[in-house]
Amino acid sequence: MPNNLAAFAIHADDVQRARRFYEGVFGWTFEPWGPPDFYLIHTGDERQPGIQGLMHKRQHPRAQGDGPNCFECTISVDDIDAIAAAVEKHGGKITMEKMPIPTVGTVIYLEDTEGNRVGAMKYEMPMRT
């Protein structure tokens, strides 16, 4: 399996305001999932489902200077341990060790050589294409 982009996450200071923005601009739909202010984003329809999205409250506010100010992407991988080893071999660093997410898979977060945060997930079930 290729290591394809599988998901993105939008971190928001005001989740409801951001939700209204993306609903209004792109017509995306939001499904509550998990903790409060956490949503699955449906970017397409059954015929063309698009990429899975997530929106949630920013864990570290931008005002503090350490919260992400971007779409955070997650790459679907076959072997999370091999990817973790490759990250370090090629000059990146693991910023969050393996974390299982029940019914979804196991994720790590890494920082590339330019300081960008990226997720790598070994999904329990193949992602929709």
Short mmCIF file of all heavy atoms in Angstrom, two decimals, residues 27-90:
data_model
loop_
_atom_site.label_atom_id
_atom_site.label_comp_id
_atom_site.label_asym_id
_atom_site.label_seq_id
_atom_site.Cartn_x
_atom_site.Cartn_y
_atom_site.Cartn_z
N GLY A 27 -19.31 23.75 2.02
CA GLY A 27 -20.44 22.83 2.10
C GLY A 27 -20.13 21.54 2.83
O GLY A 27 -20.85 20.55 2.70
N TRP A 28 -19.05 21.51 3.63
CA TRP A 28 -18.70 20.31 4.37
C TRP A 28 -19.73 20.08 5.48
O TRP A 28 -20.32 21.03 5.99
CB TRP A 28 -17.32 20.44 4.99
CG TRP A 28 -16.20 20.50 4.00
CD1 TRP A 28 -16.27 20.25 2.65
CD2 TRP A 28 -14.84 20.84 4.27
NE1 TRP A 28 -15.03 20.40 2.07
CE2 TRP A 28 -14.13 20.77 3.04
CE3 TRP A 28 -14.15 21.20 5.41
CZ2 TRP A 28 -12.78 21.03 2.95
CZ3 TRP A 28 -12.79 21.46 5.32
CH2 TRP A 28 -12.11 21.37 4.09
N THR A 29 -19.92 18.82 5.85
CA THR A 29 -20.81 18.49 6.96
C THR A 29 -19.97 17.97 8.13
O THR A 29 -18.90 17.39 7.94
CB THR A 29 -21.88 17.45 6.56
OG1 THR A 29 -21.23 16.27 6.08
CG2 THR A 29 -22.79 18.01 5.47
N PHE A 30 -20.49 18.20 9.33
CA PHE A 30 -19.77 17.88 10.55
C PHE A 30 -20.58 16.90 11.39
O PHE A 30 -21.77 17.10 11.60
CB PHE A 30 -19.51 19.16 11.35
CG PHE A 30 -18.50 20.06 10.68
CD1 PHE A 30 -18.85 20.80 9.56
CD2 PHE A 30 -17.21 20.14 11.15
CE1 PHE A 30 -17.93 21.61 8.92
CE2 PHE A 30 -16.28 20.95 10.53
CZ PHE A 30 -16.63 21.69 9.41
N GLU A 31 -19.90 15.87 11.87
CA GLU A 31 -20.53 14.83 12.69
C GLU A 31 -19.84 14.80 14.05
O GLU A 31 -18.63 14.55 14.13
CB GLU A 31 -20.38 13.48 11.99
CG GLU A 31 -20.88 12.31 12.76
CD GLU A 31 -20.58 10.99 12.06
OE1 GLU A 31 -20.21 10.98 10.87
OE2 GLU A 31 -20.71 9.95 12.74
N PRO A 32 -20.59 15.05 15.14
CA PRO A 32 -19.96 14.97 16.47
C PRO A 32 -19.37 13.58 16.69
O PRO A 32 -19.98 12.57 16.33
CB PRO A 32 -21.12 15.22 17.43
CG PRO A 32 -22.17 15.88 16.62
CD PRO A 32 -22.00 15.37 15.22
N TRP A 33 -18.17 13.55 17.26
CA TRP A 33 -17.50 12.27 17.48
C TRP A 33 -16.53 12.43 18.65
O TRP A 33 -15.67 13.30 18.61
CB TRP A 33 -16.75 11.85 16.22
CG TRP A 33 -16.27 10.43 16.23
CD1 TRP A 33 -16.99 9.32 15.95
CD2 TRP A 33 -14.94 9.97 16.52
NE1 TRP A 33 -16.21 8.20 16.04
CE2 TRP A 33 -14.94 8.57 16.40
CE3 TRP A 33 -13.76 10.60 16.88
CZ2 TRP A 33 -13.81 7.79 16.62
CZ3 TRP A 33 -12.64 9.83 17.10
CH2 TRP A 33 -12.66 8.45 16.96
N GLY A 34 -16.70 11.63 19.68
CA GLY A 34 -15.76 11.69 20.80
C GLY A 34 -16.08 12.81 21.76
O GLY A 34 -17.24 13.09 22.05
N PRO A 35 -15.04 13.49 22.25
CA PRO A 35 -15.23 14.52 23.28
C PRO A 35 -15.97 15.74 22.74
O PRO A 35 -16.11 15.91 21.53
CB PRO A 35 -13.81 14.88 23.70
CG PRO A 35 -12.94 14.47 22.55
CD PRO A 35 -13.64 13.33 21.87
N PRO A 36 -16.43 16.62 23.64
CA PRO A 36 -17.08 17.86 23.18
C PRO A 36 -16.17 18.65 22.24
O PRO A 36 -14.95 18.63 22.38
CB PRO A 36 -17.33 18.63 24.48
CG PRO A 36 -17.31 17.61 25.55
CD PRO A 36 -16.36 16.53 25.09
N ASP A 37 -16.79 19.33 21.28
CA ASP A 37 -16.06 20.14 20.30
C ASP A 37 -15.09 19.33 19.45
O ASP A 37 -14.05 19.84 19.02
CB ASP A 37 -15.34 21.31 20.97
CG ASP A 37 -16.25 22.50 21.20
OD1 ASP A 37 -17.32 22.56 20.53
OD2 ASP A 37 -15.91 23.35 22.02
N PHE A 38 -15.41 18.06 19.20
CA PHE A 38 -14.61 17.20 18.32
C PHE A 38 -15.55 16.67 17.25
O PHE A 38 -16.59 16.11 17.56
CB PHE A 38 -13.99 16.04 19.10
CG PHE A 38 -12.92 15.31 18.34
CD1 PHE A 38 -11.59 15.55 18.61
CD2 PHE A 38 -13.25 14.40 17.35
CE1 PHE A 38 -10.59 14.88 17.90
CE2 PHE A 38 -12.27 13.72 16.65
CZ PHE A 38 -10.94 13.96 16.92
N TYR A 39 -15.19 16.88 15.98
CA TYR A 39 -16.06 16.52 14.86
C TYR A 39 -15.30 15.76 13.78
O TYR A 39 -14.13 16.06 13.51
CB TYR A 39 -16.64 17.77 14.20
CG TYR A 39 -17.60 18.52 15.07
CD1 TYR A 39 -17.17 19.53 15.91
CD2 TYR A 39 -18.96 18.20 15.06
CE1 TYR A 39 -18.06 20.22 16.72
CE2 TYR A 39 -19.86 18.88 15.86
CZ TYR A 39 -19.40 19.88 16.69
OH TYR A 39 -20.29 20.55 17.49
N LEU A 40 -15.99 14.82 13.15
CA LEU A 40 -15.55 14.27 11.87
C LEU A 40 -16.06 15.23 10.81
O LEU A 40 -17.18 15.73 10.90
CB LEU A 40 -16.15 12.90 11.62
CG LEU A 40 -15.76 11.78 12.56
CD1 LEU A 40 -16.49 10.49 12.18
CD2 LEU A 40 -14.26 11.55 12.56
N ILE A 41 -15.25 15.48 9.81
CA ILE A 41 -15.65 16.35 8.71
C ILE A 41 -15.84 15.48 7.48
O ILE A 41 -14.95 14.71 7.10
CB ILE A 41 -14.59 17.43 8.40
CG1 ILE A 41 -14.30 18.28 9.63
CG2 ILE A 41 -15.02 18.29 7.22
CD1 ILE A 41 -13.11 19.22 9.45
N HIS A 42 -17.01 15.61 6.86
CA HIS A 42 -17.29 14.91 5.61
C HIS A 42 -17.15 15.94 4.49
O HIS A 42 -17.94 16.87 4.39
CB HIS A 42 -18.69 14.30 5.64
CG HIS A 42 -18.86 13.35 6.78
ND1 HIS A 42 -18.34 12.06 6.78
CD2 HIS A 42 -19.47 13.49 7.98
CE1 HIS A 42 -18.62 11.46 7.91
NE2 HIS A 42 -19.31 12.30 8.66
N THR A 43 -16.11 15.74 3.67
CA THR A 43 -15.81 16.72 2.63
C THR A 43 -16.50 16.41 1.31
O THR A 43 -16.45 17.22 0.39
CB THR A 43 -14.30 16.81 2.38
OG1 THR A 43 -13.81 15.53 1.93
CG2 THR A 43 -13.56 17.22 3.64
N GLY A 44 -17.12 15.24 1.20
CA GLY A 44 -17.79 14.88 -0.04
C GLY A 44 -19.08 14.14 0.24
O GLY A 44 -19.69 14.31 1.30
N ASP A 45 -19.48 13.33 -0.73
CA ASP A 45 -20.70 12.54 -0.58
C ASP A 45 -20.36 11.06 -0.77
O ASP A 45 -19.18 10.70 -0.87
CB ASP A 45 -21.76 13.00 -1.58
CG ASP A 45 -21.28 12.96 -3.03
OD1 ASP A 45 -20.36 12.17 -3.37
OD2 ASP A 45 -21.83 13.71 -3.85
N GLU A 46 -21.37 10.20 -0.81
CA GLU A 46 -21.11 8.76 -0.95
C GLU A 46 -20.39 8.43 -2.25
O GLU A 46 -19.55 7.54 -2.29
CB GLU A 46 -22.42 7.98 -0.85
CG GLU A 46 -22.96 7.91 0.56
CD GLU A 46 -24.18 7.01 0.66
OE1 GLU A 46 -24.27 6.04 -0.12
OE2 GLU A 46 -25.03 7.29 1.52
N ARG A 47 -20.70 9.13 -3.31
CA ARG A 47 -20.08 8.87 -4.62
C ARG A 47 -18.63 9.33 -4.65
O ARG A 47 -17.77 8.65 -5.20
CB ARG A 47 -20.90 9.57 -5.71
CG ARG A 47 -20.56 9.14 -7.12
CD ARG A 47 -21.51 9.75 -8.15
NE ARG A 47 -21.70 11.18 -8.04
CZ ARG A 47 -20.85 12.12 -8.48
NH1 ARG A 47 -19.76 11.78 -9.09
NH2 ARG A 47 -21.13 13.41 -8.33
N GLN A 48 -18.36 10.48 -4.08
CA GLN A 48 -17.01 11.04 -4.01
C GLN A 48 -16.76 11.50 -2.58
O GLN A 48 -16.93 12.68 -2.26
CB GLN A 48 -16.86 12.22 -4.97
CG GLN A 48 -16.92 11.82 -6.43
CD GLN A 48 -16.69 13.03 -7.32
OE1 GLN A 48 -17.33 14.07 -7.15
NE2 GLN A 48 -15.77 12.88 -8.25
N PRO A 49 -16.35 10.56 -1.69
CA PRO A 49 -16.28 10.89 -0.27
C PRO A 49 -15.17 11.87 0.12
O PRO A 49 -15.26 12.51 1.15
CB PRO A 49 -16.06 9.54 0.39
CG PRO A 49 -15.52 8.66 -0.67
CD PRO A 49 -16.05 9.18 -1.97
N GLY A 50 -14.16 12.01 -0.67
CA GLY A 50 -13.08 12.93 -0.32
C GLY A 50 -12.20 12.37 0.78
O GLY A 50 -12.20 11.17 1.06
N ILE A 51 -11.43 13.22 1.42
CA ILE A 51 -10.50 12.83 2.49
C ILE A 51 -11.19 13.08 3.82
O ILE A 51 -11.87 14.08 4.01
CB ILE A 51 -9.19 13.65 2.39
CG1 ILE A 51 -8.46 13.31 1.10
CG2 ILE A 51 -8.30 13.38 3.59
CD1 ILE A 51 -7.23 14.15 0.86
N GLN A 52 -10.96 12.18 4.76
CA GLN A 52 -11.54 12.33 6.10
C GLN A 52 -10.93 13.54 6.80
O GLN A 52 -9.72 13.73 6.78
CB GLN A 52 -11.27 11.09 6.94
CG GLN A 52 -11.77 11.24 8.37
CD GLN A 52 -11.49 10.00 9.18
OE1 GLN A 52 -11.82 8.90 8.78
NE2 GLN A 52 -10.87 10.19 10.32
N GLY A 53 -11.78 14.35 7.40
CA GLY A 53 -11.29 15.49 8.15
C GLY A 53 -11.74 15.42 9.60
O GLY A 53 -12.68 14.71 9.95
N LEU A 54 -11.05 16.15 10.43
CA LEU A 54 -11.37 16.28 11.85
C LEU A 54 -11.29 17.75 12.22
O LEU A 54 -10.50 18.49 11.66
CB LEU A 54 -10.36 15.52 12.71
CG LEU A 54 -10.13 14.05 12.39
CD1 LEU A 54 -8.90 13.54 13.11
CD2 LEU A 54 -11.35 13.25 12.76
N MET A 55 -12.11 18.16 13.14
CA MET A 55 -11.98 19.50 13.71
C MET A 55 -12.11 19.37 15.22
O MET A 55 -12.97 18.64 15.71
CB MET A 55 -13.06 20.45 13.19
CG MET A 55 -12.93 21.85 13.82
SD MET A 55 -14.19 23.01 13.22
CE MET A 55 -13.54 23.34 11.59
N HIS A 56 -11.23 20.08 15.92
CA HIS A 56 -11.30 20.05 17.38
C HIS A 56 -10.67 21.30 17.96
O HIS A 56 -10.00 22.07 17.26
CB HIS A 56 -10.63 18.80 17.95
CG HIS A 56 -9.21 18.60 17.49
ND1 HIS A 56 -8.14 19.21 18.09
CD2 HIS A 56 -8.71 17.84 16.48
CE1 HIS A 56 -7.03 18.83 17.49
NE2 HIS A 56 -7.36 18.00 16.50
N LYS A 57 -10.93 21.49 19.22
CA LYS A 57 -10.40 22.65 19.95
C LYS A 57 -8.88 22.59 19.94
O LYS A 57 -8.29 21.53 20.15
CB LYS A 57 -10.92 22.64 21.39
CG LYS A 57 -10.56 23.85 22.18
CD LYS A 57 -11.79 24.65 22.46
CE LYS A 57 -11.50 25.82 23.36
NZ LYS A 57 -11.82 27.06 22.70
N ARG A 58 -8.28 23.71 19.68
CA ARG A 58 -6.81 23.80 19.69
C ARG A 58 -6.32 23.49 21.11
O ARG A 58 -6.78 24.07 22.08
CB ARG A 58 -6.40 25.21 19.28
CG ARG A 58 -4.97 25.36 18.89
CD ARG A 58 -4.64 26.81 18.55
NE ARG A 58 -5.53 27.43 17.59
CZ ARG A 58 -5.39 27.35 16.26
NH1 ARG A 58 -4.42 26.65 15.75
NH2 ARG A 58 -6.23 27.97 15.47
N GLN A 59 -5.38 22.55 21.23
CA GLN A 59 -4.87 22.16 22.54
C GLN A 59 -3.92 23.20 23.12
O GLN A 59 -3.84 23.35 24.33
CB GLN A 59 -4.16 20.81 22.45
CG GLN A 59 -5.12 19.69 22.11
CD GLN A 59 -4.41 18.37 21.90
OE1 GLN A 59 -3.21 18.26 22.02
NE2 GLN A 59 -5.19 17.36 21.56
N HIS A 60 -3.22 23.89 22.27
CA HIS A 60 -2.31 24.96 22.69
C HIS A 60 -2.69 26.21 21.91
O HIS A 60 -2.48 26.26 20.69
CB HIS A 60 -0.85 24.59 22.41
CG HIS A 60 -0.43 23.32 23.07
ND1 HIS A 60 -0.16 23.25 24.41
CD2 HIS A 60 -0.28 22.07 22.58
CE1 HIS A 60 0.16 22.00 24.71
NE2 HIS A 60 0.09 21.27 23.62
N PRO A 61 -3.27 27.20 22.55
CA PRO A 61 -3.73 28.39 21.82
C PRO A 61 -2.62 29.05 21.01
O PRO A 61 -1.47 29.09 21.43
CB PRO A 61 -4.22 29.32 22.94
CG PRO A 61 -4.49 28.42 24.09
CD PRO A 61 -3.51 27.29 23.98
N ARG A 62 -3.00 29.54 19.84
CA ARG A 62 -2.04 30.26 18.98
C ARG A 62 -1.43 31.43 19.72
O ARG A 62 -0.28 31.77 19.51
CB ARG A 62 -2.73 30.78 17.73
CG ARG A 62 -2.84 29.79 16.66
CD ARG A 62 -3.32 30.38 15.38
NE ARG A 62 -4.01 31.65 15.57
CZ ARG A 62 -4.82 32.19 14.71
NH1 ARG A 62 -5.05 31.60 13.57
NH2 ARG A 62 -5.43 33.32 14.94
N ALA A 63 -2.21 32.06 20.60
CA ALA A 63 -1.72 33.24 21.32
C ALA A 63 -0.47 32.91 22.13
O ALA A 63 0.36 33.78 22.38
CB ALA A 63 -2.81 33.79 22.25
N GLN A 64 -0.31 31.65 22.54
CA GLN A 64 0.88 31.26 23.29
C GLN A 64 2.06 31.00 22.36
O GLN A 64 3.18 30.81 22.81
CB GLN A 64 0.60 30.00 24.11
CG GLN A 64 -0.39 30.21 25.23
CD GLN A 64 -0.69 28.91 25.96
OE1 GLN A 64 -0.17 27.86 25.65
NE2 GLN A 64 -1.55 29.02 26.96
N GLY A 65 1.78 30.94 21.08
CA GLY A 65 2.85 30.76 20.11
C GLY A 65 3.23 29.32 19.84
O GLY A 65 4.11 29.07 19.04
N ASP A 66 2.56 28.35 20.49
CA ASP A 66 2.96 26.97 20.25
C ASP A 66 1.84 26.11 19.68
O ASP A 66 2.01 24.93 19.47
CB ASP A 66 3.52 26.33 21.51
CG ASP A 66 2.55 26.37 22.69
OD1 ASP A 66 1.45 26.91 22.55
OD2 ASP A 66 2.92 25.86 23.76
N GLY A 67 0.68 26.69 19.40
CA GLY A 67 -0.40 25.92 18.80
C GLY A 67 -0.26 25.89 17.29
O GLY A 67 0.21 26.85 16.68
N PRO A 68 -0.64 24.77 16.65
CA PRO A 68 -0.54 24.71 15.19
C PRO A 68 -1.44 25.73 14.52
O PRO A 68 -2.53 26.00 14.99
CB PRO A 68 -0.99 23.29 14.85
CG PRO A 68 -1.37 22.64 16.11
CD PRO A 68 -1.18 23.58 17.23
N ASN A 69 -0.97 26.30 13.45
CA ASN A 69 -1.72 27.27 12.67
C ASN A 69 -1.72 26.76 11.23
O ASN A 69 -1.12 27.35 10.35
CB ASN A 69 -1.06 28.65 12.77
CG ASN A 69 -1.93 29.72 12.19
OD1 ASN A 69 -3.14 29.59 12.12
ND2 ASN A 69 -1.31 30.79 11.74
N CYS A 70 -2.38 25.59 11.05
CA CYS A 70 -2.33 24.92 9.76
C CYS A 70 -3.36 23.80 9.74
O CYS A 70 -4.02 23.55 10.73
CB CYS A 70 -0.94 24.31 9.55
SG CYS A 70 -0.54 23.07 10.81
N PHE A 71 -3.48 23.14 8.60
CA PHE A 71 -4.17 21.86 8.54
C PHE A 71 -3.11 20.83 8.90
O PHE A 71 -2.04 20.80 8.31
CB PHE A 71 -4.66 21.57 7.13
CG PHE A 71 -5.96 22.20 6.76
CD1 PHE A 71 -6.42 23.35 7.37
CD2 PHE A 71 -6.74 21.63 5.78
CE1 PHE A 71 -7.62 23.92 7.00
CE2 PHE A 71 -7.94 22.19 5.40
CZ PHE A 71 -8.38 23.34 6.03
N GLU A 72 -3.41 19.98 9.85
CA GLU A 72 -2.47 18.92 10.23
C GLU A 72 -2.85 17.67 9.45
O GLU A 72 -3.97 17.19 9.56
CB GLU A 72 -2.61 18.69 11.74
CG GLU A 72 -1.75 17.57 12.26
CD GLU A 72 -2.03 17.39 13.73
OE1 GLU A 72 -1.44 18.13 14.53
OE2 GLU A 72 -2.88 16.54 14.06
N CYS A 73 -1.93 17.15 8.66
CA CYS A 73 -2.22 16.00 7.81
C CYS A 73 -1.75 14.70 8.45
O CYS A 73 -0.77 14.68 9.19
CB CYS A 73 -1.53 16.17 6.46
SG CYS A 73 -2.17 17.58 5.54
N THR A 74 -2.47 13.62 8.14
CA THR A 74 -2.11 12.29 8.61
C THR A 74 -1.92 11.39 7.40
O THR A 74 -2.77 11.34 6.51
CB THR A 74 -3.21 11.72 9.53
OG1 THR A 74 -3.35 12.60 10.66
CG2 THR A 74 -2.85 10.33 10.03
N ILE A 75 -0.80 10.66 7.40
CA ILE A 75 -0.47 9.74 6.33
C ILE A 75 -0.82 8.33 6.77
O ILE A 75 -0.44 7.91 7.87
CB ILE A 75 1.04 9.82 5.99
CG1 ILE A 75 1.49 11.27 5.76
CG2 ILE A 75 1.38 8.92 4.82
CD1 ILE A 75 0.83 11.99 4.63
N SER A 76 -1.53 7.59 5.93
CA SER A 76 -1.87 6.20 6.20
C SER A 76 -0.65 5.33 5.89
O SER A 76 -0.12 5.40 4.78
CB SER A 76 -3.06 5.78 5.33
OG SER A 76 -3.33 4.41 5.50
N VAL A 77 -0.20 4.51 6.86
CA VAL A 77 1.00 3.69 6.68
C VAL A 77 0.70 2.23 7.01
O VAL A 77 -0.21 1.93 7.77
CB VAL A 77 2.17 4.21 7.54
CG1 VAL A 77 2.49 5.66 7.19
CG2 VAL A 77 1.90 4.08 9.02
N ASP A 78 1.51 1.33 6.43
CA ASP A 78 1.38 -0.10 6.72
C ASP A 78 2.12 -0.50 7.99
O ASP A 78 1.70 -1.39 8.70
CB ASP A 78 1.95 -0.93 5.56
CG ASP A 78 1.02 -0.98 4.37
OD1 ASP A 78 -0.21 -0.92 4.57
OD2 ASP A 78 1.52 -1.09 3.24
N ASP A 79 3.27 0.13 8.26
CA ASP A 79 4.13 -0.27 9.37
C ASP A 79 4.58 0.97 10.14
O ASP A 79 5.51 1.66 9.74
CB ASP A 79 5.34 -1.04 8.83
CG ASP A 79 6.24 -1.60 9.91
OD1 ASP A 79 6.20 -1.12 11.06
OD2 ASP A 79 6.99 -2.54 9.57
N ILE A 80 3.90 1.23 11.24
CA ILE A 80 4.17 2.46 11.99
C ILE A 80 5.56 2.46 12.62
O ILE A 80 6.20 3.50 12.72
CB ILE A 80 3.04 2.72 13.01
CG1 ILE A 80 3.02 4.20 13.37
CG2 ILE A 80 3.16 1.85 14.23
CD1 ILE A 80 1.69 4.70 13.82
N ASP A 81 6.06 1.27 13.01
CA ASP A 81 7.40 1.20 13.60
C ASP A 81 8.47 1.51 12.57
O ASP A 81 9.44 2.21 12.86
CB ASP A 81 7.63 -0.19 14.23
CG ASP A 81 6.72 -0.43 15.43
OD1 ASP A 81 6.56 0.50 16.25
OD2 ASP A 81 6.16 -1.54 15.52
N ALA A 82 8.29 1.03 11.35
CA ALA A 82 9.25 1.32 10.28
C ALA A 82 9.24 2.81 9.95
O ALA A 82 10.30 3.40 9.71
CB ALA A 82 8.93 0.49 9.03
N ILE A 83 8.08 3.41 9.95
CA ILE A 83 7.99 4.85 9.67
C ILE A 83 8.68 5.64 10.78
O ILE A 83 9.44 6.57 10.51
CB ILE A 83 6.51 5.29 9.51
CG1 ILE A 83 5.88 4.62 8.29
CG2 ILE A 83 6.38 6.81 9.47
CD1 ILE A 83 6.51 4.97 6.95
N ALA A 84 8.45 5.27 12.04
CA ALA A 84 9.09 5.97 13.16
C ALA A 84 10.61 5.89 13.04
O ALA A 84 11.31 6.89 13.24
CB ALA A 84 8.61 5.39 14.49
N ALA A 85 11.12 4.72 12.68
CA ALA A 85 12.57 4.57 12.51
C ALA A 85 13.07 5.43 11.35
O ALA A 85 14.13 6.07 11.46
CB ALA A 85 12.92 3.10 12.28
N ALA A 86 12.31 5.48 10.27
CA ALA A 86 12.71 6.28 9.11
C ALA A 86 12.70 7.77 9.43
O ALA A 86 13.55 8.52 8.94
CB ALA A 86 11.79 5.98 7.92
N VAL A 87 11.75 8.21 10.24
CA VAL A 87 11.70 9.63 10.63
C VAL A 87 13.01 10.03 11.28
O VAL A 87 13.63 11.03 10.90
CB VAL A 87 10.51 9.89 11.59
CG1 VAL A 87 10.62 11.25 12.25
CG2 VAL A 87 9.18 9.76 10.86
N GLU A 88 13.44 9.26 12.26
CA GLU A 88 14.67 9.60 12.97
C GLU A 88 15.90 9.45 12.08
O GLU A 88 16.80 10.27 12.12
CB GLU A 88 14.76 8.77 14.24
CG GLU A 88 13.64 9.18 15.19
CD GLU A 88 13.70 8.51 16.55
OE1 GLU A 88 14.47 7.54 16.73
OE2 GLU A 88 12.97 8.99 17.44
N LYS A 89 15.91 8.42 11.23
CA LYS A 89 17.04 8.20 10.32
C LYS A 89 17.23 9.38 9.37
O LYS A 89 18.35 9.73 9.01
CB LYS A 89 16.81 6.92 9.52
CG LYS A 89 17.88 6.64 8.50
CD LYS A 89 17.58 5.38 7.71
CE LYS A 89 18.63 5.16 6.65
NZ LYS A 89 18.34 3.98 5.82
N HIS A 90 16.12 10.02 8.98
CA HIS A 90 16.18 11.09 7.99
C HIS A 90 16.11 12.49 8.58
O HIS A 90 15.84 13.45 7.88
CB HIS A 90 15.09 10.89 6.93
CG HIS A 90 15.31 9.65 6.12
ND1 HIS A 90 16.24 9.58 5.10
CD2 HIS A 90 14.77 8.41 6.21
CE1 HIS A 90 16.24 8.37 4.59
NE2 HIS A 90 15.35 7.64 5.24
#
